[in-house]
Amino acid sequence: MPQIDQIALTYGSQIFWLLLTFGFTFIVIGLGMFPKIQGTVDARDKRIADDLEAARSANAKADELEESYRVKMEKDRGDAQAVVEASKTKASEAAEKRKTKANSDIATKLAAAEADIKARSAEALKEIEGVSAEVAQDMVAKISGAKVTKAAALKETKAALKHG
Amino acid sequence: MATEEGKIDPMYQFEVQTILEGFSLGGQQIAFTNSAVWMLVAVAGLWVFMLGGMKRELVPGRWQMMVEGFTGFIDNMMEANIGPAGRKYAPYVFSLFMFILFSNVFGLLPVGVLGLHPFTVTSHLTVTGVLAVMSFSIVLIVGFAKHKLHFFSLFIPDGTPLPMIPFIFIVELLSFLVRPFSLALRLFVAMTAGHILLKVLAGFVINSTNAGAGYGVLVGIPSFALMIGISALELLVAVVQAYVFALLTSLYINDAENLH
């Protein structure tokens, strides 16, 4: 095995060249390039994370806005509902009041008219009584020749009218 | 690949060959070898790959996405295994992971068809050993710097009955000390075994075909089919071993960082 057979002869040059090449690798590539490349990766990761964070916060903000908009709309709708409700009650109250007033007006008018009708019909009845008493007086005078006082005729007619 | 005529040596691929004599350091010849070439190739490939991730655009292209996939993978692993404190070790574990991954994968490249000899750096115990010792040293340094002598409480699990403590301590200490060896050997053995298997099967294909068309059909074709499957498996092993090395390093660092 040459690795072992030659070891006494070659270890010096092997170690020398290894230290030289690996030293170069460590200093130039390990210490020089590796942190820069890893820094780029870290910067990119950070950038992506920041962008994601910004997007997330923007999203949350939009949600918040939408929520507040929704709440406001809900409130406005509630307000409008209340206004409508209030005006409706007010209108119906007014209508009720007018109706009661109209009803009472009608009732008074009706009462007046009824009273009028009663008075008139009483008057008419009196007139009929008077006329029929006179007629009765005349008829009695013509048929029997008896003289009937007006008061008696009236009394009789009243009784007759009452019996229909 | 043939050391003698007609004989194929599957171990030849692991031989370190001197390209330039280089210089001497403390009695050791520091030569520029094929191993050094492949280390440089792996690092160069890794550097080019990483350069594609340096555009740092907000919306990444395909290449940048790929690089960020690797960095993010290691970063997540550190975060998951160690916690927020683990991120400061991420550059080291990332270097380790990528270096091993590129060495493993480049060692599997079929550059043999271009007349070149691929060489897998991580199939050498010297290389994996140094990497393992590095990781283990970081564990020791962090552990003792952060917890001082309290670090030894790592070897006594919570709720150990008092009479058991000395035995448990020794067992845990041994298992702790074995870590760098297991780390180094695991990678070295996995890479070596797969490459030997591939070369042995390739030798079957060549030798059986040389022995005659009948042998070629009987032995060569099944061997070749097996090679295709094992090559796919080796690609998987190359990635998995790099991952295992990085994962175990992060777990060991977690012990030092958080004790329990």
Side-chain angles (χ1 to χ4, degrees), chain B residues 127-141:
Chain B
V127 173
T128 59
V130 169
L131 293 176
V133 165
M134 250 191 261
S135 290
F136 193 67
S137 311
I138 287 175
V139 171
L140 287 181
I141 291 166

Side-chain angles (χ1 to χ4, degrees), chain A residues 51-127:
Chain A
D51 284 0
L52 273 178
E53 191 49 50
R56 205 168 289 131
S57 72
N59 198 8
K61 207 171 164 191
D63 276 357
E64 216 165 82
L65 264 176
E66 199 194 319
E67 179 64 21
S68 76
Y69 171 73
R70 204 183 58 76
V71 164
K72 194 173 176 309
M73 212 162 84
E74 203 75 17
K75 192 176 159 292
D76 286 357
R77 188 178 290 143
D79 285 357
Q81 203 82 33
V83 167
V84 166
E85 206 64 44
S87 58
K88 211 186 250 171
T89 3
K90 215 162 123 190
S92 74
E93 252 167 36
E96 198 66 37
K97 208 177 266 172
R98 265 210 302 279
K99 210 165 94 187
T100 342
K101 195 164 170 288
N103 272 350
S104 67
D105 279 3
I106 288 165
T108 27
K109 264 183 195 158
L110 212 65
E114 255 168 24
D116 194 35
I117 288 167
K118 217 173 223 166
R120 277 180 199 216
S121 74
E123 208 170 284
L125 204 61
K126 210 174 246 169
E127 229 163 81

Side-chain angles (χ1 to χ4, degrees), chain B residues 3-41:
Chain B
T3 43
E4 311 165 22
E5 202 56 49
K7 186 174 177 287
I8 293 163
D9 180 10
M11 303 310 275
Y12 178 73
Q13 56 173 325
F14 300 118
E15 253 170 47
V16 176
Q17 277 155 1
T18 304
I19 296 170
L20 293 171
E21 280 304 321
F23 53 94
S24 189
L25 191 78
Q28 262 282 326
Q29 189 68 23
I30 309 295
F32 185 70
T33 60
N34 55 343
S35 172
V37 169
W38 282 93
M39 287 181 202
L40 290 174
V41 166

Side-chain angles (χ1 to χ4, degrees), chain A residues 126-137:
Chain A
K126 210 174 246 169
E127 229 163 81
I128 290 169
E129 271 169 8
V131 172
S132 45
E134 250 168 54
V135 169
Q137 207 177 346

Side-chain angles (χ1 to χ4, degrees), chain A residues 11-30, chain B residues 23 25 30-33 35-44 46 95 99 121 127 130-131 134:
Chain A
Y11 76 87
S13 84
Q14 289 280 66
I15 291 171
F16 174 81
W17 289 108
L18 176 67
L19 290 181
L20 202 70
T21 48
F22 187 74
F24 176 85
T25 307
F26 178 59
I27 290 164
V28 174
I29 290 167
Chain B
F23 53 94
L25 191 78
I30 309 295
F32 185 70
T33 60
S35 172
V37 169
W38 282 93
M39 287 181 202
L40 290 174
V41 166
V43 170
L46 175 57
S95 308
F99 184 79
V121 180
V127 173
V130 169
L131 293 176
M134 250 191 261

Side-chain angles (χ1 to χ4, degrees), chain B residues 159-166:
Chain B
T160 310
L162 197 63
M164 290 300 288
I165 282 178

